Amino acid sequence: MRQKIKNNDNYLIKQLPKATAYVNLNLSVAHISDSWLRDFNLSLQAIEKNSILGVFPTLTTKWKQDIDYAFLGYKNTPKTDKYFDSSTSKCWLEWTILPWYDEAENIIGAIIQIEDVTKHFLLQQKLEKLEILITVKSQIAKIGSWEYDAINDELKWSDMTKIIHEVPNDYEPNTDSALSFYKPGKNQEKISKYLDQSLKDGLHWSDKFQIITGKGKEIWVIATGKPLFEDEKFVGIIGTFQDITEDVKAQQKTKESENLLRTLIDHLPLNVFVKDLESKKILVNQSECDYLNLTSEELIGKSDFDLYDHDVAQVSRDEDLKILSTLEPMLGVETINIRKDGKQTNFLTSKIPLFNEDNDVVGLIGFSLDITQIKQKEEQLTRLINVSALQNKKLLNFAHIVSHNLRSHTANFSMLLGFLIKEKEEQEREKLLSMLIGASDNLLETIDNLNEVLEINSNPLQEKKNIHANTKIDFVKKNLHSLIKNKGAHIINNISNDVYIKGVPTYVNNILISILSNAIKFGQNKTGNKIELSADKIKGYTILVIKDNGIGIDLEKNKDKIFGMYKTFHQLEKSRGVSLYIARNQIEAMNGKFVIASKVGQGTTFKIYFNEND
Amino acid sequence: MKMIDHICIIDDDAITVFGIKKLLTSTIECNNIDAFSNGKLAIEYLSEIVANKTKLPDLIFLDLNMPIMDGWEFLEEFLKLPIADAITVNIVTSSINKEDRDKSNFYKCRTHHNITYNTKPLNKVEIEKITDIA
């Protein structure tokens, strides 16, 4: 009977869907389901030979304990533990062990049901890990979550969401109170709009909002929300809250600093620019834009070669390279920039190397102060100083001349008159009188000369005219006809017929007569002296060159006196010196000048610079 | 009347030369008065005397403003001449410029020669004083 039942039992148990085994009190397997063998990859023979404990040798002893409890008639609760399978991977097993009774309610063994829960266990573990991760992440990122259950009209906030809202942990929000945290006005309008859209159209949102916390603090959050639907029926919304106040504040601060910096550099009366290692502009201020007549966008990425005259750009690039290689700043250097359109500007420029956080040089910062006007003023001033110094010198010279010449004549008068008073002898008196007349004539001539000089210097310049050089030269030659003849001078005129000079005709007359007559007078020889005339042109001037092969002047010794009044250098009749003195005053009055090159015994080259301006 | 052997007048102005000569002849006795119209002629003359070791003038009247070589240039050259005796050089100028007077003082300090300074016109009292020293 028992055998029959047993056989019957065996067949029934064999077919059980869940892995099940009946073990005898001696722990040998009485019945076992096929599912056991299948699920745990075991052979029937291997199990029948061993005790049940041999099936999972690495499983905890707790299960042996459960079997023992079952033998004693206790019902065990299901338990889980790990074991290692034949390929030594870690697996989890859940077992339920109950006592096995016969018809007479005697315990004859234990019923063991097992299940491989490895997959389940691993999923569980993963879920736990994820939950931990989310919690930590939400704490670090200050992201909280919320969930609205539309069916029960229940709103749930995560801990972090409560922290963000600065409400106690046991705070229970509802839809109205939750919305009231949004800052009244624009923020509330915005969230209401999002909610409407989400209910109507199923849209989700993510946007920046200002909320006022439970403690009354105004903070910035990113709030998101996503409606949930089941069978196209709205069931709720889930969403997140992230506190971004610090980010917003940092951003605002950065923006403010940037704004301050930008306002500052744009309103500096300086051209400010930042260049990269290739000297390409990466930042420019308003002054620099205005100076170059381009927008900031147009200037960025441009090099000096794109903006300035090539030579100027090269100078600037060389400066940049020096600074980038030596890391020494260039401070307050006067530079000249020439734009492509030719406009020249004087700058006082400083360039300093620019470093990144790692202290590597990444470019340079430049400041340029436009000093063109100052420079022009300076030049004007220098010119003015030079003019006044020259005037002063002339005046002083003139005062000396006046003093000396007038005094020397009056001294003579005084002396001669003194003699005359005492002189009794008629013949001697006659002599003294004729000397007095001579002295008086000399004085008159001197006064005439001084007058002429005064007139040149004090009256406004007479109108300049275009004078045909060769016509004038011919006129002067005619004037000096007898001198030329007497000295046997040979004048070679190389001045081409199209040369014109600008000047006051009477001045030009006197200048040419005085210089040409000097050249003729101081010939080396009695006859056959050669005088060459030529013309030249340099910026702003037409130059007449009078070159003789005469006795020359020691310029080293005489440079101060050459044009002084009554200074002569050679013992020759009529070399009174006054004509050169007047000539110099005349050429200077016309903004021209004399340049002399000479060597004793080798002749003199006299260059007359006629200014071409009126 | 005091007797002076040899006097030189260096001046380009004929009237001054005449005047000095006239004043001299009424003050002292001198048979040998030479006149030179600029410094160059005078220094050439004096250099020759030094070279030939003949008698140097006792008194020189020197104008400052002259062509070719002026009084200062003359003085510069004159001081270079190897002359042991102290010779009186009387600067006679129409300049009343303080600079010229200062410059003459500068030369006075540099030499053993006796350098004096007078402005034109010279009068009899001054000539007496000058000749008295020489």
Side-chain angles (χ1 to χ4, degrees):
Chain A
M1 177 72 193
R2 194 176 162 197
Q3 187 65 32
K4 194 181 164 188
I5 292 166
K6 198 183 166 188
N7 280 342
N8 212 10
D9 284 350
N10 198 32
Y11 197 65
L12 280 174
I13 290 164
K14 192 176 152 70
Q15 294 179 80
L16 285 174
K18 197 169 173 182
T20 310
Y22 284 72
V23 293
N24 300 315
L25 289 172
N26 64 1
L27 296 174
S28 65
V29 176
H31 310 285
I32 191 156
S33 68
D34 283 349
S35 54
W36 184 302
L37 299 174
R38 194 178 59 239
D39 290 352
F40 296 93
N41 205 12
L42 296 167
S43 69
L44 190 60
Q45 288 84 358
I47 287 172
E48 280 175 342
K49 270 186 210 152
N50 284 312
S51 79
I52 190 71
L53 297 177
V55 178
F56 301 109
T58 56
L59 194 60
T60 168
T61 51
K62 269 192 229 152
W63 98 299
K64 162 83 170 57
Q65 209 173 31
D66 277 6
I67 296 171
D68 290 340
Y69 283 147
F71 287 163
L72 296 173
Y74 295 109
K75 287 184 181 173
N76 291 298
T77 49
K79 290 196 178 64
T80 305
D81 213 330
K82 58 182 180 295
Y83 73 99
F84 295 93
D85 69 1
S86 52
S87 57
T88 68
S89 28
K90 205 188 219 179
C91 301
W92 272 267
L93 191 73
E94 189 187 76
W95 68 85
T96 313
I97 302 174
L98 302 171
W100 177 19
Y101 299 97
D102 63 9
E103 292 92 339
E105 294 290 318
N106 296 315
I107 294 172
I108 54 167
I111 307 166
I112 305 175
Q113 274 196 320
I114 58 168
E115 196 179 346
D116 182 357
V117 291
T118 306
K119 265 189 198 159
H120 177 77
F121 189 84
L122 286 176
L123 274 175
Q124 182 74 27
Q125 211 176 37
K126 201 169 161 187
L127 192 70
E128 276 167 19
K129 272 188 197 161
L130 280 175
E131 267 173 3
I132 291 165
L133 216 59
I134 280 172
T135 313
V136 172
K137 270 189 178 167
S138 92
Q139 275 164 0
I140 291 169
K142 292 190 180 168
I143 299 176
S145 61
W146 58 276
E147 194 175 343
Y148 172 64
D149 175 1
I151 295 157
N152 300 311
D153 190 25
E154 261 178 15
L155 183 62
K156 269 188 201 151
W157 280 0
S158 76
D159 289 350
M160 185 44 76
T161 303
K162 288 177 185 167
I163 290 169
I164 290 170
H165 282 77
E166 290 194 314
V167 291
N169 233 354
D170 55 3
Y171 180 83
E172 279 179 21
N174 58 45
T175 45
D176 288 338
S177 66
L179 284 176
S180 73
F181 281 96
Y182 287 84
K183 193 179 173 184
K186 265 193 284 181
N187 287 280
Q188 287 206 351
E189 283 166 25
K190 198 157 67 173
I191 189 65
S192 304
K193 208 174 111 195
Y194 278 131
L195 276 170
D196 281 353
Q197 281 178 347
S198 131
L199 295 181
K200 242 192 279 165
D201 307 326
L203 297 175
H204 58 90
W205 74 86
S206 172
D207 206 344
K208 263 194 225 177
F209 296 93
Q210 272 176 292
I211 64 168
I212 295 164
T213 68
K215 289 185 179 166
K217 215 163 81 188
E218 206 173 291
I219 62 165
W220 280 94
V221 295
I222 289 180
T224 67
K226 185 177 162 61
L228 297 174
F229 295 91
E230 267 177 35
D231 302 330
E232 291 182 18
K233 193 183 151 229
F234 173 73
V235 292
I237 310 175
I238 56 165
T240 60
F241 259 105
Q242 183 180 10
D243 184 351
I244 54 158
T245 310
E246 274 167 32
D247 291 350
V248 171
K249 272 187 184 163
Q251 262 176 27
Q252 262 173 354
K253 209 155 185 180
T254 313
K255 220 170 159 185
E256 275 167 22
S257 310
E258 213 168 80
N259 204 15
L260 181 72
L261 211 65
R262 194 74 228 179
T263 313
L264 201 70
I265 69 160
D266 274 346
H267 290 85
L268 276 177
L270 273 175
N271 292 13
V272 179
F273 49 86
V274 179
K275 288 181 186 174
D276 65 11
L277 293 174
E278 282 165 25
S279 291
K280 284 185 175 147
K281 292 198 157 83
I282 48 180
L283 186 144
V284 289
N285 76 338
Q286 195 55 45
S287 298
E288 178 82 347
C289 294
D290 292 347
Y291 164 62
L292 289 162
N293 240 337
L294 291 169
T295 65
S296 170
E297 288 75 24
E298 286 169 324
L299 275 177
I300 302 290
K302 290 234 163 62
S303 78
D304 289 339
F305 290 98
D306 301 323
L307 302 165
Y308 306 121
D309 174 89
H310 182 271
D311 292 349
V312 165
Q314 191 59 53
V315 169
S316 175
R317 173 65 177 153
D318 291 345
E319 285 169 3
D320 292 357
L321 284 175
K322 194 179 163 208
I323 291 154
L324 294 174
S325 63
T326 63
L327 306 183
E328 302 241 338
M330 176 185 104
L331 300 171
V333 173
E334 279 188 24
T335 56
I336 296 172
N337 267 5
I338 303 170
R339 280 197 321 222
K340 291 258 178 197
D341 64 8
K343 188 180 187 294
Q344 185 175 323
T345 313
N346 293 77
F347 282 112
L348 193 65
T349 303
S350 297
K351 292 179 183 176
I352 54 174
L354 177 66
F355 300 96
N356 66 6
E357 281 177 2
D358 299 330
N359 234 8
D360 295 325
V361 66
V362 290
L364 56 89
I365 310 175
F367 315 91
S368 294
L369 180 63
D370 185 344
I371 53 162
T372 311
Q373 280 187 336
I374 298 171
K375 208 74 196 152
Q376 278 168 356
K377 286 261 158 64
E378 196 182 295
E379 271 163 29
Q380 268 173 17
L381 211 64
T382 313
R383 264 207 299 279
L384 211 67
I385 288 169
N386 285 342
V387 167
S388 6
L390 202 73
Q391 295 278 25
N392 237 339
K393 207 172 149 192
K394 269 164 124 180
L395 269 177
L396 201 66
N397 191 14
F398 190 71
H400 280 168
I401 287 162
V402 170
S403 142
H404 178 260
N405 284 283
L406 296 188
R407 258 198 67 81
S408 65
H409 290 298
T410 48
N412 283 343
F413 282 132
S414 158
M415 190 175 67
L416 289 171
L417 285 170
F419 291 151
L420 191 63
I421 288 167
K422 287 177 192 158
E423 193 57 63
K424 303 274 183 324
E425 216 177 304
E426 197 52 39
Q427 214 183 331
E428 196 64 19
R429 283 178 67 94
E430 290 273 322
K431 194 181 169 191
L432 286 171
L433 271 176
S434 80
M435 285 176 99
L436 268 172
I437 290 166
S440 153
D441 286 346
N442 281 342
L443 178 60
L444 276 179
E445 196 197 328
T446 304
I447 290 173
D448 279 349
N449 287 335
L450 292 175
N451 241 345
E452 202 175 331
V453 174
L454 261 185
E455 221 159 278
I456 296 163
N457 282 306
S458 55
N459 289 357
L461 188 63
Q462 294 167 50
E463 204 190 326
K464 276 192 186 177
K465 289 195 171 115
N466 265 327
I467 297 167
H468 185 238
N470 278 336
T471 308
K472 206 65 179 176
I473 299 273
D474 288 343
F475 172 79
V476 170
K477 266 160 75 180
K478 227 176 255 172
N479 225 294
L480 296 172
H481 177 69
S482 59
L483 182 69
I484 294 169
K485 205 177 161 192
N486 286 342
K487 299 291 288 186
H490 186 47
I491 297 175
I492 305 155
N493 185 358
N494 293 325
I495 299 172
S496 87
N497 231 359
D498 58 1
V499 175
Y500 282 81
I501 51 173
K502 250 198 168 165
V504 179
T506 52
Y507 289 5
V508 176
N509 266 352
N510 184 58
I511 290 166
L512 288 176
I513 286 174
S514 115
I515 290 169
L516 205 58
S517 61
N518 262 307
I520 298 165
K521 273 186 219 162
F522 302 122
Q524 294 261 39
N525 315 305
K526 288 273 177 217
T527 54
N529 289 310
K530 212 166 73 176
I531 295 162
E532 279 177 80
L533 309 180
S534 58
D536 204 352
K537 225 173 161 72
I538 63 160
K539 205 182 165 196
Y541 293 99
T542 304
I543 307 163
L544 294 189
V545 184
I546 295 157
K547 185 171 182 275
D548 67 48
N549 59 352
I551 55 179
I553 310 167
D554 185 345
L555 288 172
E556 197 56 50
K557 249 181 164 174
N558 294 309
K559 64 182 173 201
D560 290 337
K561 306 193 214 159
I562 200 154
F563 296 107
M565 200 173 182
Y566 303 122
K567 302 273 185 184
T568 53
F569 309 95
H570 308 294
Q571 179 130 40
L572 286 163
E573 251 180 277
K574 283 201 166 186
S575 56
R576 296 275 293 168
V578 70
S579 75
L580 267 185
Y581 179 73
I582 290 173
R584 188 186 68 164
N585 277 283
Q586 286 170 329
I587 194 75
E588 280 172 5
M590 296 187 295
N591 289 323
K593 61 182 174 184
F594 292 146
V595 172
I596 309 171
S598 183
K599 256 191 181 161
V600 175
Q602 290 179 19
T604 305
T605 303
F606 215 112
K607 291 184 178 177
I608 315 166
Y609 283 67
F610 289 99
N611 196 314
E612 284 178 339
N613 299 322
D614 287 320
Chain B
M1 240 186 198
K2 189 175 175 176
M3 177 83 184
I4 293 174
D5 265 359
H6 186 191
I7 295 171
C8 281
I9 304 170
I10 310 166
D11 200 316
D12 63 328
D13 184 45
I15 293 170
T16 309
V17 174
F18 167 80
I20 293 172
K21 275 184 181 171
K22 200 170 168 61
L23 283 168
L24 279 172
T25 47
S26 69
T27 314
I28 51 136
E29 227 177 290
C30 181
N31 296 324
N32 194 1
I33 301 177
D34 285 319
F36 304 94
S37 64
N38 67 56
K40 196 162 180 254
L41 294 172
I43 204 76
E44 279 166 7
Y45 172 74
L46 292 171
S47 301
E48 213 168 298
I49 291 179
V50 170
N52 297 333
K53 294 181 178 160
T54 47
K55 178 85 177 65
L56 281 156
D58 306 288
L59 175 59
I60 296 171
F61 287 92
L62 178 65
D63 184 24
L64 288 180
N65 236 312
M66 287 179 293
I68 303 161
M69 182 189 271
D70 67 17
W72 298 124
E73 287 166 335
F74 169 81
L75 257 187
E76 203 53 66
E77 295 298 316
F78 178 70
L79 296 188
K80 281 186 205 159
L81 291 175
I83 300 169
D85 299 333
I87 293 170
T88 299
V89 180
N90 185 62
I91 296 167
V92 191
T93 177
S94 51
S95 162
I96 47 165
N97 213 340
K98 192 177 172 292
E99 256 179 58
D100 284 337
R101 190 177 280 276
D102 292 346
K103 207 167 167 185
S104 80
N105 283 328
F106 166 70
Y107 279 105
K108 208 182 272 180
C109 299
R110 275 178 56 191
T111 177
H112 64 285
H113 296 301
N114 191 14
I115 295 177
T116 57
Y117 189 93
N118 280 294
T119 52
K120 293 178 186 176
L122 279 175
N123 56 36
K124 201 163 158 53
V125 180
E126 283 166 328
I127 285 286
E128 278 167 3
K129 225 170 153 186
I130 294 160
T131 50
D132 202 34
I133 301 162

